[in-house]
């Protein structure tokens, strides 16, 4: 073996090793990871998602959001699935996740079937990534290959959701930084925001825009007046009933399409974090581009979902575990 002769050569060696290590971590996630160890894994997950979707179309949006909320806190390690204990409040019971996250029972059912068929093989993190992909596909988005091989984390802290998840009141700069912190570009942030084309929101997540926006305006002046009037009928002032919800994309709440971007163009973005995309020339351009081309956006969305699904993953036998029950860390 030859040795580097000078500082430049040494630097090249260091950079090469760093690059190979990074590629090695990502390459441990691979499409068809369970082909030999549990060949029916992805089919079983899709079967459970399809059954749940037949009963409640809203569960698809719930599973996509759950995957996002998992990956932004400690990486895609299924920490969002862990139940709280008397000594610890877990992520799922933080104010940003409870009661709005849903779809846990779908993951439970899929995992139970997988354990019966291939005990200790398929991670909860991979089940969640598969379920999110299947939800996108079932609602009319593109199907895409999910690289798998994630392992499950052992820690879940409610406090970490507040510092890692972007909030509905974030402005465009805060959103851009939040996604950059996870290795995602501003364009990918706008692309992934399009997930709001499906699903619903609790009134409490945006009622400040209707009644107590700031010291000058009770109603957010950037919100379309007709849309605001409709929202006020659906979400009366002062009502904190957690069952009060509205669709995020009223025209097609169960279809993965570009209705979200068309709404944002028309000042009908539900959250501040939606409408703020029109306040920046670069993000506004992406909104307009996506609104004009559903096939382009669907393709970009699938690619961005795959990239998001690789945030800080745990891989290899020395990292994480394969939980037997997604709600409980193995003993």
């Amino acid at each position: 073996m030859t040795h580097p002769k000078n500082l430049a050569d040494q630097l090249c060696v260091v950079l090469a090793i760093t690059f190979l290590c990074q590629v090695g971590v990502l390459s441990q996630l691979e499409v068809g990871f369970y082909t030999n160890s549990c060949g029916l894994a992805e089919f079983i997950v899709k079967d459970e998602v399809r059954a749940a979707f037949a009963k409640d179309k809203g569960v698809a949006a719930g599973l996509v959001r759950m995957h996002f909320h998992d990956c932004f806190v400690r990486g895609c390690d299924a920490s969002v699935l862990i139940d709280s204990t008397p000594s610890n409040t877990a992520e799922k019971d933080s104010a940003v996740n409870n009661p709005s996250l849903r779809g846990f029972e779908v993951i439970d059912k899929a995992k139970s079937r997988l354990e019966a068929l291939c005990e200790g093989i398929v991670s909860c993190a991979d089940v969640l990534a598969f379920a999110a992909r299947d939800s996108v596909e079932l609602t009319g988005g593109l199907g895409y290959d999910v690289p798998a091989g994630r392992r499950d984390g052992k820690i879940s802290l409610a406090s970490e959701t507040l510092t890692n998840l972007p909030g509905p009141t974030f402005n465009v700069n805060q959103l851009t930084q939040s996604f950059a912190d996870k290795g995602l570009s501003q364009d990918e942030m706008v692309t992934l925001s399009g997930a709001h084309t499906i699903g619903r929101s609790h009134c409490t997540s945006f009622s400040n825009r209707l009644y107590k926006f700031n010291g000058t305006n009770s109603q957010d002046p950037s919100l379309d007046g007709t849309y605001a009037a409709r929202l006020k009928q659906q979400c009366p002032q002062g009502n904190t009933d957690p069952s009060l919800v509205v669709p995020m994309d009223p025209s097609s709440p169960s279809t993965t399409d570009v209705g979200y971007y068309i709404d944002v163009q028309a000042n009908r973005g539900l959250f501040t974090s939606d409408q703020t995309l029109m306040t920046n020339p670069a993000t506004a351009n992406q909104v307009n581009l996506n609104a004009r081309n559903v096939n382009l956006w669907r393709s970009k969305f699938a690619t961005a979902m795959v990239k998001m699904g690789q945030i800080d993953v745990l891989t290899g036998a020395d990292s994480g575990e394969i939980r037997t029950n997604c709600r409980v860390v193995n003993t």
Side-chain angles (χ1 to χ4, degrees):
M1 177 181 177
T2 57
H3 296 280
K5 298 176 182 178
N6 53 47
L7 184 60
D9 287 341
Q10 292 176 7
L11 179 60
C12 287
V13 171
V14 170
L15 290 175
I17 291 173
T18 301
F19 175 75
L20 288 172
C21 288
Q22 290 174 338
V23 171
V25 169
L26 291 179
S27 67
Q28 290 182 49
L29 291 187
E30 59 182 271
V31 174
F33 183 82
Y34 296 108
T35 299
N36 296 323
S37 59
C38 190
L40 292 176
E42 295 189 49
F43 171 81
I44 288 171
V45 175
K46 179 171 284 189
D47 189 52
E48 288 299 334
V49 173
R50 188 182 290 115
F53 183 71
K55 297 177 182 177
D56 175 12
K57 288 182 167 50
V59 77
L63 290 167
V64 173
R65 183 168 180 258
M66 191 187 297
H67 184 42
F68 171 75
H69 279 222
D70 180 44
C71 290
F72 265 57
V73 183
R74 290 189 169 268
C76 310
D77 67 344
S79 55
V80 75
L81 302 176
I82 296 175
D83 282 346
S84 296
T85 66
S87 60
N88 178 65
T89 303
E91 293 171 32
K92 64 167 54 173
D93 287 320
S94 71
V96 297
N97 286 333
N98 187 1
S100 59
L101 276 194
R102 55 179 171 154
F104 293 105
E105 70 287 347
V106 182
I107 305 300
D108 291 338
K109 289 179 180 179
K111 178 61 172 175
S112 178
R113 287 177 62 183
L114 289 167
E115 283 298 301
L117 184 66
C118 325
E119 184 178 358
I121 298 296
V122 184
S123 70
C124 299
D126 281 343
V127 172
L128 183 49
F130 294 147
R133 180 269 312 277
D134 299 335
S135 296
V136 171
E137 188 174 3
L138 282 169
T139 53
L142 288 181
Y144 53 90
D145 290 330
V146 174
R150 300 166 188 79
R151 291 173 69 85
D152 300 323
K154 303 177 183 180
I155 299 171
S156 183
L157 304 171
S159 58
E160 293 185 342
T161 62
L162 302 176
T163 53
N164 285 282
L165 290 169
T169 61
F170 272 24
N171 62 37
V172 70
N173 293 329
Q174 291 171 312
L175 287 172
T176 300
Q177 186 60 56
S178 177
F179 278 70
D181 289 344
K182 306 301 178 184
L184 297 167
S185 69
Q186 186 179 70
D187 183 25
E188 287 164 336
M189 178 271 287
V190 178
T191 298
L192 289 169
S193 294
H196 286 175
T197 191
I198 55 175
R200 64 191 189 185
S201 170
H202 290 76
C203 293
T204 50
S205 295
F206 60 85
S207 59
N208 66 299
R209 299 187 71 200
L210 301 176
Y211 303 110
K212 296 180 180 179
F213 184 62
N214 58 31
T216 306
N217 301 288
S218 58
Q219 182 175 303
D220 185 346
S222 72
L223 189 62
D224 174 73
T226 302
Y227 184 47
R230 187 194 317 166
L231 290 174
K232 286 180 177 179
Q233 289 183 328
Q234 296 170 300
C235 302
Q237 185 171 10
N239 194 312
T240 58
D241 183 351
S243 67
L244 279 181
V245 294
V246 301
M248 289 190 283
D249 175 9
S251 61
S252 53
S254 300
T255 305
T256 295
D257 58 18
V258 293
Y260 165 80
Y261 296 105
I262 294 170
D263 285 340
V264 170
Q265 286 179 317
N267 295 322
R268 294 194 298 268
L270 188 59
F271 303 138
T272 297
S273 59
D274 295 321
Q275 202 56 53
T276 190
L277 299 181
M278 296 304 290
T279 65
N280 173 288
T283 57
N285 181 59
Q286 289 300 322
V287 168
N288 295 334
L289 182 64
N290 293 337
R292 290 194 302 268
N293 194 326
V294 64
N295 291 327
L296 172 66
W297 172 72
R298 282 174 173 152
S299 177
K300 287 167 55 180
F301 185 73
T303 301
M305 286 289 286
V306 171
K307 184 174 178 180
M308 184 190 76
Q310 297 187 1
I311 296 174
D312 295 335
V313 293
L314 302 173
T315 60
D318 296 328
S319 181
E321 64 183 13
I322 306 296
R323 269 184 245 141
T324 301
N325 179 341
C326 292
R327 294 175 178 267
V328 183
V329 174
N330 294 344
T331 54

